[in-house]
Amino acid sequence: ISGLSVSSGQVGTSVTINGTNFTANSNTVTFGSNTIPNLTSNTTSITFTVPSVSAGTYSVSVTNANGTSNSTSFTVTEPNNPPTVDPIPSQTITLPNTSSVFVQAVGRDAEGPVTYAWTAPQGETANISSPTNSSTYITGLTAGVHQFYVTVTDNGGASAQASFTVTVNAPT
């Protein structure tokens, strides 16, 4: 074995073992204590799917008519669960007393930290003062109904989004 196409991944990941002196159809791949069925192989590569095992590091080896190869390791990782974001209550304000609101998001992820991104639909003229913080002021609101979004992203790239509205009443 000269290497693997990837050295870590989740259950179900397709992995190619690269090397030499494999046989076209008489190879046995051992992953930990599991023998892997349904191999795709030729003389320089063998492709298999990571079996259903717990997260951890496993030895990978190949046996063919020529004997057992050297081994390498593969790390099975847990799937990345997406974060959550609590609902954000809608707000109603009346001009001219105020034209801004304070909003706060609470994002959670059991696997690590999260980042925040506040956005508004294209064409919205209000200003989001701190678009990457967990809380922000939205200023410069005009009469009407405005919708905004916060996206919470975890360190694995998964995300969740919440939307909320701000109703701005014209002066009475």
Side-chain angles (χ1 to χ4, degrees), residues 113-159:
V114 296
T115 60
Y116 296 86
W118 296 90
T119 57
Q122 186 173 357
E124 174 61 57
T125 59
N127 178 51
I128 299 171
S129 64
S130 301
T132 60
N133 290 351
S134 63
S135 59
T136 188
Y137 283 95
I138 299 174
T139 61
L141 291 161
T142 57
V145 178
H146 306 265
Q147 185 158 9
F148 297 93
Y149 305 91
V150 63
T151 302
V152 176
T153 304
D154 70 13
N155 58 357
S159 62

Side-chain angles (χ1 to χ4, degrees), residues 100-126:
S100 65
V101 294
F102 176 78
V103 289
Q104 183 168 6
V106 177
R108 293 180 181 82
D109 186 66
E111 300 151 347
V114 296
T115 60
Y116 296 86
W118 296 90
T119 57
Q122 186 173 357
E124 174 61 57
T125 59

Side-chain angles (χ1 to χ4, degrees), residues 3-150:
L4 300 176
S5 58
V6 293
S7 61
S8 67
Q10 298 174 18
V11 168
T13 299
S14 179
V15 179
T16 299
I17 302 170
N18 299 302
T20 57
N21 299 320
F22 300 141
T23 56
N25 57 15
S26 299
N27 302 299
T28 301
V29 171
T30 304
F31 188 96
S33 61
N34 298 294
T35 300
I36 306 297
N38 305 321
L39 301 173
T40 303
S41 60
N42 59 42
T43 59
T44 60
S45 68
I46 302 169
T47 302
F48 70 94
T49 301
V50 174
S52 182
V53 294
S54 299
T57 300
Y58 294 85
S59 175
V60 178
S61 64
V62 177
T63 303
N64 62 22
N66 303 319
T68 300
S69 72
N70 59 321
S71 64
T72 189
S73 62
F74 184 90
T75 301
V76 177
T77 58
E78 293 287 341
N80 180 29
N81 295 311
T84 60
V85 59
D86 290 353
I88 299 171
S90 294
Q91 295 187 40
T92 300
I93 60 174
T94 301
L95 297 173
N97 298 337
T98 185
S99 64
S100 65
V101 294
F102 176 78
V103 289
Q104 183 168 6
V106 177
R108 293 180 181 82
D109 186 66
E111 300 151 347
V114 296
T115 60
Y116 296 86
W118 296 90
T119 57
Q122 186 173 357
E124 174 61 57
T125 59
N127 178 51
I128 299 171
S129 64
S130 301
T132 60
N133 290 351
S134 63
S135 59
T136 188
Y137 283 95
I138 299 174
T139 61
L141 291 161
T142 57
V145 178
H146 306 265
Q147 185 158 9
F148 297 93
Y149 305 91
V150 63

